[in-house]
Amino acid sequence: MKIGIVTRRYLPAEGGIENFLHLLLKYLSLHHTFSILAQLDGRTPEKPGIDDVFAPPAGRYDYDQQNIYLLGPTGIDRMRLLPCLLRLLPGLRRVGRHELRKWALDCFARVYEKRMLKAFQNVDIIHSFTFNGMGWCALRVARKLKCPFIITPFMHTGQWGDSPVDVGLYNQADSVIALHEGDRQALIAVGVEEKRIRTIGIGIEPICGNGPLLRRRYAVEGPLILFVGRMIPHKGYRELVDAVLSLRKQGEVLSLMLMGPASDSVAVDLSRLRSQGIHYLGHVSACEKADAYDACDLFCLPSDGEIMPVTILEAWSLARPILVGNIPALQALVEAGKTGMLVRRDPVAIREKLRSFLKDREGWGGMGAAGQQKLKTTFLIQDIAARHHDLYGRFFSGSESQPL
């Protein structure tokens, strides 16, 4: 089968969704071919909230044996997309947020629908890994082509993807893919029809690395805490830095390593802390990231805005204990005290959890082993790809002609 893939960002744009999608397509390519449409590739500065207008121009590029078509705007398109910015004006948002968003989505579809329709002429199924303009446009194209429309929304309750407009999109899809039981329940809670939802999950390949090499390279002292993710407020990186610095001031010997993209100012601030046991590495290769997981003694992501971080699975792959944000999505993934520990995004709370880890590393290590076992039974990419392949096959054969 040929699958039309729709995504807001594709590698080399860095992120958990982007890495998972690329790995998923790698495994699915044994049985399927793809036409991939994206809006952003990460090679130009992103402008959150206004990317619809300022996205890079249209073009094609190759990434690791996949060909991606950037569905970017022309100069005239940018002018036609200007109404999309009205939804960002505070005064207008207060009086008609949902109406403005519907108008913006319609503007987006009018600009891109013909190009998406042309790109997807020969596909059997359209699968969107985003909502917003790209998702709505993909739905309209799927209906014109009379092919099934599947969406994996990666909804973050209270942050994005859970508005009445978004739920309207999901309830027109032939199937909505949830990442775990907590995600399924969250989708139902915002109004997605249960019959449409299928829990498939997200997965990784087992990783291995050379931890001792990395520790020598960066002269790491004491137990190593690892953070992998974007350096943005809701991820909790700043609170984690403050917690580690506080412990070091109290005489504890430990180090913190942070990997992931950051603004120039944040990168400079973090780099100044090297002498205090804070190692900021920025964007790194997959090989160096694997070395860091192998080197670390604890993985920490004290975020208050996640749904299914692959970084947790990567830490579990090497049986590393984890300390993650105490939010519903992660409560559904991590069994506190058995496969990891939960903490609110607060420097004092994080500091005390880290102190507990330092006092009982053996007990926390047992949680890492339990997490590794959970990964092997639930979150390996070959199993996730097989579930997608089964779903595609059911739609292609007609046995899934009605919503689940």
Side-chain angles (χ1 to χ4, degrees):
M1 282 180 282
K2 186 169 186 178
I3 314 298
I5 299 293
V6 178
T7 179
R8 182 174 176 270
R9 305 166 81 243
Y10 199 86
L11 294 177
E14 185 65 25
I17 294 173
E18 293 74 28
N19 285 311
F20 162 67
L21 175 56
H22 184 68
L23 186 60
L24 176 66
L25 298 188
K26 171 185 170 183
Y27 275 77
L28 286 173
S29 63
L30 298 172
H31 306 284
H32 308 284
T33 59
F34 305 100
S35 180
I36 306 171
L37 299 188
Q39 192 176 7
L40 303 167
D41 64 358
R43 289 183 278 199
T44 56
E46 295 183 16
K47 302 175 177 63
I50 58 175
D51 280 326
D52 288 347
V53 177
F54 295 101
R60 289 190 176 274
Y61 70 96
D62 293 320
Y63 188 92
D64 190 24
Q65 300 182 333
Q66 295 290 359
N67 182 258
I68 299 93
Y69 176 44
L70 279 182
L71 202 66
T74 64
I76 294 176
D77 290 338
R78 295 185 200 278
M79 296 179 64
R80 295 172 64 197
L81 288 166
L82 286 175
C84 294
L85 302 183
L86 294 177
R87 73 188 192 277
L88 304 177
L89 299 177
L92 290 177
R93 288 183 68 184
R94 282 194 295 270
V95 298
R97 180 177 59 172
H98 298 311
E99 289 72 17
L100 284 171
R101 185 146 178 253
K102 288 178 182 177
W103 187 27
L105 293 169
D106 189 57
C107 288
F108 188 98
R110 286 201 303 269
V111 169
Y112 290 119
E113 186 175 334
K114 287 185 179 179
R115 269 180 270 172
M116 189 180 286
L117 189 62
K118 182 178 179 181
F120 284 166
Q121 274 299 313
N122 299 314
V123 303
D124 301 297
I125 292 170
I126 294 178
H127 188 167
S128 179
F129 289 80
T130 184
F131 48 98
N132 280 334
M134 292 287 279
W136 276 100
C137 192
L139 172 66
R140 290 169 65 151
V141 168
R143 295 300 173 250
K144 288 192 174 182
L145 293 175
K146 294 181 171 55
C147 69
F149 175 71
I150 300 170
I151 187 166
T152 305
F154 298 101
M155 183 185 78
H156 285 52
T157 304
Q159 291 187 308
W160 61 77
D162 61 346
S163 76
V165 176
D166 301 318
V167 173
L169 170 63
Y170 309 153
N171 279 332
Q172 292 183 64
D174 297 291
S175 187
V176 180
I177 293 180
L179 305 182
H180 49 66
E181 177 59 22
D183 188 30
R184 188 182 80 88
Q185 293 296 335
L187 288 165
I188 294 171
V190 298
V192 180
E193 297 171 2
E194 188 172 0
K195 65 182 180 181
R196 299 180 186 275
I197 304 172
R198 179 162 182 164
T199 303
I200 288 184
I202 196 168
I204 65 164
E205 290 179 308
I207 61 175
C208 60
N210 189 334
L213 176 66
L214 183 132
R215 294 182 73 99
R216 290 194 299 271
R217 183 185 304 147
Y218 295 101
V220 173
E221 59 175 350
L224 177 62
I225 315 301
L226 177 66
F227 173 97
V228 179
R230 289 182 290 163
M231 307 299 144
I232 52 180
H234 80 257
K235 293 285 187 179
Y237 80 93
R238 174 51 63 185
E239 290 83 355
L240 176 57
V241 169
D242 291 345
V244 170
L245 291 176
S246 177
L247 285 170
R248 287 177 64 91
K249 286 180 181 178
Q250 294 174 19
E252 298 285 359
V253 179
L254 75 163
S255 298
L256 171 64
M257 185 167 286
L258 303 109
M259 294 180 163
S263 66
D264 291 342
S265 61
V266 169
V268 169
D269 289 344
L270 291 174
S271 298
R272 290 172 178 160
L273 299 173
R274 178 65 61 89
S275 64
Q276 300 177 62
I278 309 297
H279 304 267
Y280 173 65
L281 274 59
H283 178 74
V284 300
S285 67
C287 182
E288 189 162 26
K289 185 169 71 168
D291 289 346
Y293 281 117
D294 190 56
C296 80
D297 299 283
L298 173 70
F299 174 77
C300 189
L301 182 69
S303 173
D304 60 10
E306 301 292 335
I307 179 173
M308 181 72 190
V310 295
T311 51
I312 289 178
L313 307 183
E314 289 168 342
W316 277 346
S317 179
L318 288 168
R320 295 303 183 262
I322 63 171
L323 174 62
V324 298
N326 191 7
I327 57 176
L330 299 185
Q331 292 164 4
L333 176 64
V334 178
E335 191 173 358
K338 293 188 177 181
T339 57
M341 295 295 283
L342 304 169
V343 67
R344 70 181 187 276
R345 203 189 93 193
D346 173 79
V348 175
I350 297 169
R351 182 191 68 197
E352 294 311 307
K353 286 291 187 181
L354 293 180
R355 195 191 306 276
S356 169
F357 161 72
L358 294 172
K359 290 180 178 179
D360 184 20
R361 290 177 58 184
E362 183 177 350
W364 282 61
M367 289 186 275
Q372 185 182 55
Q373 185 58 38
K374 183 172 183 176
L375 169 76
K376 291 178 178 178
T377 58
T378 311
F379 297 115
L380 291 180
I381 189 63
Q382 58 264 37
D383 298 327
I384 304 302
R387 294 170 204 158
H388 280 82
H389 174 65
D390 177 67
L391 180 61
Y392 295 161
R394 289 173 179 271
F395 274 111
F396 188 70
S397 67
S399 61
E400 289 279 356
S401 58
Q402 299 297 319
L404 295 170

